[in-house]
Amino acid sequence: MGRFFSAVTRKVSPLQLVLILLVLGGAVWYISGTLKPASTTQWAYVEIGTVGAVYDGDALIVRNESPYYADGVTNINYIAEEGAWVEENKGQVVCEVFSSGFSTKEISALQGYRENIRDYEITLINDETTYDASLTRVEADVLARASEARSIIFGTAGNLSNQEALLKTAISERQKYIKGKYGSDQRLQRLLEDEQQQMQRIQSWTKQVAPTRKGIVSFYTDGYELGLSFSTYDTFTPADVRRMIGGALPENTTVSRGKTCVFRIIMSEDEWYMLMLVDDKNWNPNKGDTFNLLLEDDDEPETLATIEDVNRSDGELLLKLSVKGDVRKIMYMRTCRAHLSSTIQTLKVPSRAIYEQNGMRGVVVEKYYGDEPFFIPVTIEREEDNYVYIVAVTDDQLQEGMVVRLF
């Protein structure tokens, strides 16, 4: 053989020899690749996987609030501050309600008496010939408080409610000083008596309203308070919620003719409910699952929301959620977009393990029941890096360590 190869090489040029070796090498590579047995891996283990999930939807806010209605209301004088904490049987007054016999002309008459008092007081002060330091002080205090309130109205940082209270106090102190200073002036006393008589006349049509509950008072209402409450929120269907989000009042909202909603009291400070129509209709949430809740255009930290019930009908997926968080941030909200998010533990399998049967996607588990493979439907949460993150449609049917067939 050695002599033969030596003889052949003597008759073949170096270039021809190189070409022959290349051809032989290619043939060896092709034959080895063709005859090499294919991968025999046709199964895989079910593994634990972790995936973050976000679900969006339209939401309806439900607060634990009680509205107060009154008959024949023609005017309301608000006394408690908006958002203040009030309690029944504490001597507090929320507002004054004027009955149907009251006319706004009475207020105009009272204003006329007070303008006469103001004009005459100005005349008395202008007729003064000696400097009064105390009068100068109380008048300067009123002007300063009024200027501060004006600045806040036009954009300066500050609390307008607090500033209003300070201005009222300054005006009261000024009026008290002037009444004392000119207490012997008969004309001023007659004007003050006219004002007092008109105030008593107005009071005859006025009813002072005390708090009916313990909680946060608000004078802003939207008509949902009677029909949408902690006692009724779990009775609504997805279709009901969709209508209410669209602006329709709850069907069981009935207010007697002639009644006016004067105020509402929110009894729960740190708990409220939310009815959420989820965009992803294929999601399979479970009662008791907890999520981070973020409301649309809300800069506050996320709060915790727990699924109390799941209702799938009318082509909608409705979640009834209890929320732990400050009710003040949703005091004036009824509808919004909401976002639920969480990091959930799932199972994962290679993408090749997903098999479709009768329109359902799932995995085929080897020797799950007896000696035959068994198909288990799953919900796919996410797919990435050739793996699929799944949750079995039926709880506890699929577990870590099971063997699934690859396709």
Side-chain angles (χ1 to χ4, degrees), residues 272-318:
W272 42 283
Y273 286 96
M274 188 175 75
L275 301 175
M276 181 176 177
L277 294 171
V278 184
D279 295 342
D280 184 359
K281 310 296 191 300
N282 297 318
W283 181 31
N284 290 298
N286 299 305
K287 291 174 61 175
D289 288 349
T290 300
F291 294 85
N292 293 317
L293 170 65
L294 185 65
L295 302 181
E296 183 181 30
D297 300 328
D298 187 4
D299 296 329
E300 297 292 324
E302 295 176 329
T303 53
L304 291 180
T306 302
I307 298 178
E308 298 289 332
D309 196 13
V310 180
N311 189 330
R312 193 187 299 274
S313 63
D314 308 313
E316 299 268 21
L317 172 59
L318 172 64

Side-chain angles (χ1 to χ4, degrees), residues 19 104 115 164 176 195 235 248 254 256 275 297 316 344 350:
L19 291 174
T104 54
E115 289 175 358
E164 181 183 6
K176 180 179 177 182
E195 178 195 28
T235 65
T254 55
S256 300
L275 301 175
D297 300 328
E316 299 268 21
I344 59 175

Side-chain angles (χ1 to χ4, degrees), residues 152-185:
I152 293 174
I153 292 172
F154 284 95
T156 302
N159 189 311
L160 187 57
S161 296
N162 291 344
Q163 195 60 45
E164 181 183 6
L166 292 173
L167 178 58
K168 287 181 178 179
T169 300
I171 292 173
S172 177
E173 289 296 319
R174 176 186 179 277
Q175 195 64 15
K176 180 179 177 182
Y177 179 78
I178 290 176
K179 287 180 180 180
K181 179 179 176 68
Y182 300 105
S184 60
D185 189 283

Side-chain angles (χ1 to χ4, degrees), residues 161-323:
S161 296
N162 291 344
Q163 195 60 45
E164 181 183 6
L166 292 173
L167 178 58
K168 287 181 178 179
T169 300
I171 292 173
S172 177
E173 289 296 319
R174 176 186 179 277
Q175 195 64 15
K176 180 179 177 182
Y177 179 78
I178 290 176
K179 287 180 180 180
K181 179 179 176 68
Y182 300 105
S184 60
D185 189 283
Q186 294 184 359
R187 182 180 175 185
L188 178 60
Q189 294 305 312
R190 284 196 303 271
L191 290 173
L192 292 173
E193 288 174 2
D194 290 341
E195 178 195 28
Q196 185 63 31
Q197 289 175 2
Q198 185 62 22
M199 289 176 62
Q200 291 174 352
R201 181 177 174 83
I202 291 173
Q203 287 296 326
S204 66
W205 283 292
T206 303
K207 175 185 177 182
Q208 290 190 337
V209 182
T212 54
R213 298 281 194 280
K214 179 171 67 174
I216 302 168
V217 66
S218 175
F219 300 104
Y220 296 95
T221 62
D222 60 8
Y224 286 74
E225 292 83 9
L226 272 182
L228 188 62
S229 65
F230 273 26
S231 61
T232 64
Y233 85 98
D234 58 349
T235 65
F236 296 109
T237 67
D240 294 332
V241 174
R242 180 61 70 187
R243 283 193 294 270
M244 286 186 282
I245 289 177
L249 292 178
E251 291 184 358
N252 55 346
T253 297
T254 55
V255 179
S256 300
R257 188 178 181 85
K259 284 187 175 291
T260 301
C261 186
V262 180
F263 60 84
R264 61 190 167 113
I265 293 180
I266 305 171
M267 286 85 76
S268 298
E269 287 187 281
D270 55 3
E271 181 183 18
W272 42 283
Y273 286 96
M274 188 175 75
L275 301 175
M276 181 176 177
L277 294 171
V278 184
D279 295 342
D280 184 359
K281 310 296 191 300
N282 297 318
W283 181 31
N284 290 298
N286 299 305
K287 291 174 61 175
D289 288 349
T290 300
F291 294 85
N292 293 317
L293 170 65
L294 185 65
L295 302 181
E296 183 181 30
D297 300 328
D298 187 4
D299 296 329
E300 297 292 324
E302 295 176 329
T303 53
L304 291 180
T306 302
I307 298 178
E308 298 289 332
D309 196 13
V310 180
N311 189 330
R312 193 187 299 274
S313 63
D314 308 313
E316 299 268 21
L317 172 59
L318 172 64
L319 300 185
K320 299 177 180 181
L321 301 137
S322 63
V323 183

